[in-house]
């Protein structure tokens, strides 16, 4: 009898995934490996909050995808389970890049509903947050995730000043701050105003890149929880880990790569993921940094990224002409956006000598133009 051609193939109602949510960006793993010393340092800094005192401030630094956000989220979850006397609120500064929007998220975290979208001043918003903390005798721990975005928008000093000096405005207010930054070129302390430097004085917790064995260990657990048994073999997992290590050890690349490879296997109606599924998936997963950076851009910033994609390698003055035609924005704002795109790693803006024009910045895209334009659509 001839072999059944459909044997070993997925049925319409079957999936290679046991739990696809394991590969989503907001998934919080039950176990958190290879970050014991960082967790202990964070606990040490926040322990005073449990006793009703102001916690130590912290800067959590490290390359992207090294567990900084996960560490803080797990610690905040433990705090909430242990006591009601501590309010722990994480703010995504890529989305909330102004002092007002940061305090709006703090208001929402404390009151469990959003503040009015208009008609309330920052002073009033600030007072309502601090009044509630004093009234409930609670300590507030704020995690400013991707705090580098506040620096890109020149909002960092004002935001931290309001948080760290809240007790001067309202006696009894106790607030501690964790700044999470993936921009290793950003010196958080040096970039702050002197009035903030004098009161911030943070502990520093560094999150290094994961090495390849650590990546295999962590992704292996995701595989066990997210896929059915036998879907991802050891050689396939090793290849995923290898590609992740090549992507600066960013675990988010590896996690996204596993999900996309699983979807590729399902598209073939296969019951297991092949190395070819992984290689094909990597063509998209490797752009996870780019996609994340582009998502946080305003319309004018995205417009300039698109213009540079079409004029990569040209001088800043020439690029400005094309940008100004589209947006009608002035050169000062244009220069500010260049600096932001440069710090985000989307472009390189390097000074060169131009004959007859002196020094000028050459704007070069760090990605394939099509990859940028496709993700801006």
């Amino acid at each position: 009898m001839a072999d059944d051609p459909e044997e070993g193939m997925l049925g319409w109602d079957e999936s290679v995934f046991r739990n696809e949510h394991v590969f989503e960006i907001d998934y919080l793993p039950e176990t958190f490996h290879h970050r014991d010393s960082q967790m202990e340092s964070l606990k040490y800094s926040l322990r005073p909050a449990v006793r009703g005192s102001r916690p130590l401030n912290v800067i959590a630094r490290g390359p992207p995808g090294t567990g900084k956000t996960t560490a803080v989220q797990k610690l905040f979850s433990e705090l909430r389970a242990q006591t009601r006397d501590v309010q722990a609120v994480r703010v995504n500064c890529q989305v909330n890049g102004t002092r007002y929007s940061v305090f709006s998220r703090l208001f929402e975290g404390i009151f469990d509903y959003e503040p009015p979208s208009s008609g309330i001043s920052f002073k009033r918003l600030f007072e309502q947050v601090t009044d509630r903390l004093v009234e409930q005798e609670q300590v507030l721990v704020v995690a400013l995730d991707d705090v580098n975005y506040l620096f890109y928008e020149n909002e960092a000093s004002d935001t931290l000043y309001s948080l760290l000096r809240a007790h001067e405005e309202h006696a009894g207010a106790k607030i501690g701050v964790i700044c999470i930054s993936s921009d290793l070129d950003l010196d958080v302390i040096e970039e702050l105003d002197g009035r903030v430097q004098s009161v911030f004085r943070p502990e520093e917790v560094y999150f290094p890149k994961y090495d390849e064995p650590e990546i295999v260990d962590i992704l292996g657990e995701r595989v066990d929880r997210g896929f059915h048994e036998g879907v991802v073999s050891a050689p396939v997992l090793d290849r995923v880990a290898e590609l992740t290590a090549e992507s600066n050890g960013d675990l988010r690349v590896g996690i996204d790569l596993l999900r996309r490879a699983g979807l590729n296997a399902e598209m073939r109606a296969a019951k297991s993921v092949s190395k070819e599924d992984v290689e094909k998936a990597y063509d998209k997963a490797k752009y996870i940094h780019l996609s994340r950076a582009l998502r946080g851009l305003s319309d004018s910033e995205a417009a300039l990224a698109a213009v540079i994609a079409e004029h990569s390698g040209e001088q800043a003055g020439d690029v400005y002409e094309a940008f100004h035609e589209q947006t009608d924005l002035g050169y000062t704002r244009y220069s500010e956006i260049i600096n932001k795109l440069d710090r985000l790693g989307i472009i390189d803006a390097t000074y060169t000598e131009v004959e007859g024009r002196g020094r000028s910045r050459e704007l070069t895209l760090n990605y394939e133009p099509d990859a940028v334009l496709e993700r801006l659509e």
Side-chain angles (χ1 to χ4, degrees):
M1 183 176 177
D3 291 338
D4 184 349
E6 294 190 2
E7 187 177 347
M9 304 292 281
L10 280 179
W12 284 101
D13 58 346
E14 292 181 301
S15 173
V16 298
F17 295 102
R18 187 197 310 272
N19 179 5
E20 196 170 349
H21 180 55
V22 166
F23 305 106
E24 295 294 335
I25 196 70
D26 60 347
Y27 176 77
L28 197 61
E30 292 182 25
T31 53
F32 189 45
H33 298 299
H34 308 297
R35 287 295 179 254
D36 291 346
S37 65
Q38 287 82 2
M39 288 294 285
E40 285 304 313
S41 296
L42 289 171
K43 286 178 182 178
Y44 168 80
S45 299
L46 298 191
R47 191 164 282 120
V50 180
R51 301 193 293 266
S53 300
R54 187 177 297 109
L56 302 177
N57 300 310
V58 176
I59 295 176
R61 296 176 65 249
T66 51
K68 301 180 296 297
T69 299
T70 299
V72 169
Q73 285 179 312
K74 289 194 76 69
L75 196 56
F76 278 11
S77 181
E78 290 178 20
L79 272 175
R80 296 185 190 107
Q82 184 174 340
T83 177
R84 293 187 176 183
D85 296 331
V86 178
Q87 285 278 2
V89 183
R90 171 182 161 265
V91 180
N92 180 351
C93 298
Q94 185 180 12
V95 177
N96 302 284
T98 66
R99 180 178 66 162
Y100 190 93
S101 61
V102 166
F103 271 82
S104 294
R105 298 290 71 75
L106 297 181
F107 181 102
E108 183 180 2
I110 291 169
F111 288 94
D112 288 328
Y113 60 87
E114 293 187 16
S117 57
S118 61
I120 178 171
S121 66
F122 173 77
K123 185 174 186 296
R124 181 63 183 140
L125 190 64
F126 176 83
E127 287 174 348
Q128 290 188 0
V129 168
T130 53
D131 284 351
R132 178 63 172 234
L133 293 175
V134 174
E135 177 188 311
Q136 298 291 322
E137 297 184 346
Q138 291 180 320
V139 179
L140 173 62
V141 183
V142 181
L144 298 175
D145 203 351
D146 279 326
V147 70
N148 34 300
Y149 282 87
L150 291 180
F151 285 91
Y152 303 158
E153 302 298 338
N154 296 317
E155 293 275 348
S157 288
D158 285 345
T159 302
L160 283 167
Y161 185 83
S162 296
L163 289 168
L164 298 172
R165 292 193 176 273
H167 61 283
E168 296 177 3
E169 297 284 334
H170 198 140
K174 300 171 185 177
I175 301 175
V177 179
I178 301 173
C179 289
I180 304 173
S181 176
S182 296
D183 185 346
L184 299 184
D185 294 327
L186 174 69
D187 188 330
V188 171
I189 301 298
E190 192 65 31
E191 293 283 341
L192 290 169
D193 291 351
R195 62 192 175 129
V196 184
Q197 290 179 359
S198 63
V199 292
F200 190 27
R201 303 184 182 281
E203 303 290 307
E204 183 162 325
V205 182
Y206 186 71
F207 289 71
K209 287 192 299 185
Y210 292 108
D211 61 30
E212 203 163 319
E214 290 172 338
I215 293 170
V216 170
D217 190 23
I218 296 167
L219 294 184
E221 185 160 319
R222 294 282 178 121
V223 166
D224 290 342
R225 293 183 182 276
F227 287 110
H228 290 297
E229 187 175 352
V231 169
V232 177
S233 65
V236 168
L237 177 59
D238 287 342
R239 181 54 180 156
V240 172
E242 184 181 349
L243 291 169
T244 304
E246 289 176 9
S247 301
N248 209 31
D250 186 342
L251 268 185
R252 292 174 304 187
V253 173
I255 292 166
D256 188 59
L257 185 52
L258 285 171
R259 184 180 70 87
R260 291 181 185 276
L263 293 173
N264 286 344
E266 288 194 335
M267 191 174 294
R268 296 187 297 108
K271 290 188 175 181
S272 62
V273 173
S274 69
K275 285 188 179 181
E276 289 73 22
D277 291 325
V278 172
E279 301 295 342
K280 184 178 178 183
Y282 186 60
D283 287 338
K284 292 189 176 179
K286 66 183 178 182
Y287 290 119
I288 191 169
H289 295 128
L290 174 63
S291 297
R292 189 166 180 267
L294 293 177
R295 277 200 302 271
L297 298 182
S298 66
D299 289 345
S300 56
E301 291 162 353
L304 180 54
V307 169
I308 295 174
E310 295 166 350
H311 296 267
S312 183
E314 296 185 16
Q315 300 300 315
D318 299 325
V319 175
Y320 173 67
E321 292 180 12
F323 175 71
H324 181 69
E325 272 186 32
Q326 285 192 23
T327 64
D328 207 32
L329 290 174
Y331 201 90
T332 300
R333 179 58 184 148
Y334 167 68
S335 185
E336 290 173 351
I337 299 174
I338 287 177
N339 292 338
K340 180 174 180 177
L341 297 181
D342 189 17
R343 296 184 78 167
L344 285 172
I346 297 172
I347 67 169
D348 269 335
T350 54
Y351 281 96
T352 57
E353 292 291 336
V354 180
E355 189 175 349
R357 294 169 60 179
R359 296 180 79 226
S360 176
R361 283 195 288 186
E362 185 177 282
L363 308 182
T364 307
L365 205 61
N366 285 332
Y367 297 90
E368 291 294 323
D370 288 347
V372 172
L373 294 172
E374 177 185 334
R375 284 159 180 79
L376 285 173
E377 289 178 356

